Amino acid sequence: MIVKIWENHPWLIDTDKFKRFNQKYTMFSRTGWDKKVKEMARKSVESVVRNIKYGKRSSLLDYAFMSAGWWVAIKGAPFQMDYGDGGLISWKSDISPIFSIASPFWNEKLSEFRKKFREDAEKNPEKLTRVVKKVAKYFGADLVGVAEFDERWVYSARVLNPRYHIGKEFIEESLELPEVRYCIVLAIKEDYEMQSTADGGVSMGDIAFGYSKMAIVAGSLAEFLRALGFTAIPSGNDLALSIPYAISAGLGEYSRMGLLITKKFGPRVRLAKVFTDTPLKADKPVRFGVYEFCLKCKKCAEKCPAKAIPFEDPSWKRKTISNIEGIYKWHVDVEKCFEYWCKSGNLGCGVCVRVCPYNKPSGRTYFIHAFFREYIVPIVGGKVAKIFDDLLGYGKRKSSSEWWNS
Ligand code: SF4
Ligand code: SF4
C-alpha cells in the first residue's frame, strides 16, 4: 500500500516494500566491511598527502584545524556515527554532581520531587516544551523542534564500527530503544563564510566542530532531562535517521540534494537528537516551497563534482544499497559522493550546500532573502530565482586562504 508519510509533504511510503534502514549500510559503516568502500577510504590518505604537498585545496593549516574541530567529538562521543551510548552521548548517567548525593533520605525526597514534577508536566506539556527548547538553545542548538517518536526511522540494527576498534571484528546488533514518546531534534548551524570555501579544509573544519557541538548539546540536554527523572537518549548520526525526524519536528523540508533545508539557515545545519519519555508537545511539519523550488532549480545537481545528485524528479528507485528502500523521494548516489570525498583529499565536500540558493548569510541581508523567498519565489518560480541567484554571484567558491586572511 502506498501512503503519505506527512499530510503536507511529498514523501510517500510503500508499506509492502519499506524496510527500516540498517546502519550497516551507511557509507561510514561500509568502510568497516565493504571492500569497495574500504578501498575508497584507503585512497583518501594518498589524496591528503597530494593536497598538502602540491598546495591543492587544503593545506596543513586546514588539516590541523579540521583535526582540532573533531577533538571533542572523537574524545567525548566517538560513537555518535555508529554505536551510540558512550561518553557525552551515554544513555545513562549517575555523575550529576548534585543528584549523586549518597543518602537514602535524599534519594527518597528526590523520587518524590521527580514524581510531582512529572505529574505537573503531564498536565501542561506546552510549558515544559518551552523550557526544554530554551535550555537546548542555551546549550548551543540554533533550532529546536519536537517530533513524535516514529519507529520507522530507527535503525533496524546498529554497528560497532572497527574504525574506532582497530583489530576487532565488525559487529552488528539489533537496536531496541527504551520506551520513549518524543524525539527532540537539534539543528546546529554551520558558518556561512566557512562553508563558502567548500570543498576545502576550512569548511570541513567547521563541519568537524559541528559534530563536537552536536555531542555537547545533545549530551547536555539529555542530562538535564535525566536529572528531572525522565529517560533521555542523546544521539548524533547513531540510532536513527535524523532527516525524517527533523521534518516531523517542523525544522525544514527535504531537498533534491538529500539534505534538510531550514528556513533560517538553508541546508547549512547539522542535526542531533534526544529521544525521551518527557511529556512534551510535538511540532508539526512545515512547508515553505522547497519541493517546488527544487523541482525547477537543479543547481546542486549541476555543480556536484561527483554527479551524485539526481536531475530527475523524485522516484522510488534507490541509487545504492546505502539508500533506504520503499520511500518515494530524491535518492542521492552516496557512493559517488563518498568516492569524491576520498579522491579530493578534503575528507568531505559540501559544494551542494555552498551553491544552494537557500544558503544565505544570516546577518544584515537575511530579511531581504527571507522576503524574496517568501513572496517573490512563489511568483517567479525556482528556475528564474536560480538564474538571479547566479547573476548575483551567490554560491561562488572562496579559497581557504581567503578565509584565513579575512
Ligand atoms: Fe534544491 Fe536548488 Fe538547493 Fe538543489 S540547489 S537543493 S535543487 S534549491
Ligand atoms: Fe556532490 Fe559534494 Fe554534495 Fe556529495 S557533498 S552530493 S559530492 S556536491
Side-chain angles (χ1 to χ4, degrees):
M1 193 173 56
I2 292 173
V3 286
K4 278 190 153 195
I5 296 170
W6 303 277
E7 207 35 59
N8 59 350
H9 269 251
W11 276 27
L12 301 172
I13 186 165
D14 183 336
T15 51
D16 300 322
K17 298 209 173 115
F18 175 79
K19 275 196 211 133
R20 272 166 66 194
F21 190 71
N22 182 333
Q23 195 186 11
K24 161 181 180 177
Y25 294 109
T26 65
M27 291 307 292
F28 290 117
S29 300
R30 284 172 65 188
T31 60
W33 61 267
D34 184 328
K35 271 193 191 147
K36 183 169 83 176
V37 182
K38 259 187 187 177
E39 185 53 20
M40 288 180 196
R42 196 193 57 76
K43 282 196 176 142
S44 64
V45 180
E46 291 157 23
S47 316
V48 169
V49 171
R50 235 185 5 253
N51 252 349
I52 299 178
K53 192 166 171 189
Y54 300 110
K56 295 209 163 182
R57 293 207 158 184
S58 306
S59 63
L60 184 59
L61 189 66
D62 298 328
Y63 286 112
F65 182 57
M66 211 187 290
S67 227
W70 280 111
W71 178 251
V72 174
I74 300 292
K75 291 303 265 187
F79 309 126
Q80 70 173 337
M81 276 170 154
D82 31 57
Y83 202 70
D85 198 9
L88 290 169
I89 58 160
S90 294
W91 291 13
K92 288 202 171 105
S93 168
D94 301 313
I95 56 140
S96 178
I98 298 171
F99 296 155
S100 62
I101 302 168
S103 137
F105 169 73
W106 166 245
N107 288 343
E108 195 191 313
K109 287 291 157 209
L110 182 58
S111 303
E112 279 172 29
F113 295 150
R114 283 173 168 170
K115 188 165 170 269
K116 173 80 174 57
F117 191 91
R118 183 182 279 270
E119 283 165 6
D120 291 346
E122 292 286 0
K123 285 182 210 144
N124 191 353
E126 289 85 0
K127 189 173 164 200
L128 186 53
T129 304
R130 278 196 299 277
V131 169
V132 167
K133 288 185 176 180
K134 192 170 189 158
V135 171
K137 287 202 171 171
Y138 172 73
F139 284 144
D142 294 291
L143 302 170
V144 191
V146 177
E148 308 250 2
F149 177 69
D150 186 336
E151 201 187 28
R152 290 176 296 186
W153 314 127
V154 176
Y155 296 140
S156 59
R158 58 181 175 173
V159 299
L160 183 56
N161 194 313
R163 277 175 304 138
Y164 304 122
H165 302 271
I166 294 161
K168 288 192 185 167
E169 196 190 327
F170 183 86
I171 302 168
E172 180 191 337
E173 181 189 271
S174 72
L175 176 58
E176 296 298 331
L177 289 177
E179 203 164 306
V180 289
R181 292 156 72 183
Y182 298 101
C183 175
I184 304 166
V185 188
L186 310 155
I188 288 127
K189 74 167 192 279
E190 291 158 1
D191 181 85
Y192 178 79
E193 294 300 329
M194 293 166 94
Q195 290 311 314
S196 300
T197 68
D199 52 331
V202 166
S203 64
M204 286 314 299
D206 181 39
I207 288 172
F209 198 51
Y211 276 96
S212 289
K213 288 185 200 160
M214 280 160 63
I216 294 169
V217 180
S220 305
L221 183 66
E223 184 56 15
F224 171 68
L225 297 173
R226 289 190 296 245
L228 289 169
F230 301 111
T231 298
I233 297 172
S235 155
N237 292 2
D238 53 301
L239 309 186
L241 298 170
S242 297
I243 291 178
Y245 269 117
I247 296 172
S248 295
L251 293 195
E253 279 191 59
Y254 187 69
S255 68
R256 181 182 290 279
M257 66 167 104
L259 299 180
L260 182 82
I261 293 201
T262 64
K263 251 190 179 182
K264 197 162 180 189
F265 308 110
R268 218 169 7 94
V269 290
R270 304 227 73 80
L271 298 169
K273 318 176 274 303
V274 175
F275 292 96
T276 184
D277 66 346
T278 309
L280 296 171
K281 182 159 180 358
D283 291 292
K284 298 236 177 315
V286 291
R287 288 274 278 122
F288 48 99
V290 173
Y291 176 69
E292 292 73 14
F293 195 106
C294 284
L295 279 176
K296 301 278 182 223
C297 167
K298 306 182 185 177
K299 193 169 174 180
C300 53
E302 284 160 17
K303 304 285 180 188
C304 170
K307 295 285 165 255
I309 300 173
F311 281 90
E312 63 269 23
D313 288 350
S315 78
W316 293 100
K317 203 169 170 290
R318 49 185 204 144
K319 292 276 163 62
T320 70
I321 56 167
S322 292
N323 301 110
I324 193 164
E325 268 182 293
I327 301 283
Y328 175 86
K329 66 177 187 105
W330 276 298
H331 292 276
V332 171
D333 189 328
V334 282
E335 281 179 17
K336 284 187 183 166
C337 171
F338 187 76
E339 189 172 23
Y340 178 76
W341 293 13
C342 299
K343 264 194 202 156
S344 72
N346 294 317
L347 309 175
C349 169
V351 169
C352 44
V353 171
R354 163 166 60 84
V355 301
C356 177
Y358 281 94
N359 172 32
K360 290 286 176 288
S362 36
R364 264 183 308 159
T365 53
Y366 172 74
F367 291 103
I368 301 171
H369 297 302
F371 176 81
F372 193 79
R373 268 200 306 264
E374 196 89 13
Y375 299 105
I376 310 294
V377 170
I379 299 167
V380 300
K383 206 167 189 169
V384 176
K386 184 204 133 198
I387 294 169
F388 272 106
D389 205 66
D390 287 342
L391 286 174
L392 290 168
Y394 283 113
K396 285 210 175 108
R397 182 175 184 268
K398 290 183 183 147
S399 67
S400 292
S401 52
E402 269 180 81
W403 184 79
W404 285 113
N405 295 323
S406 67

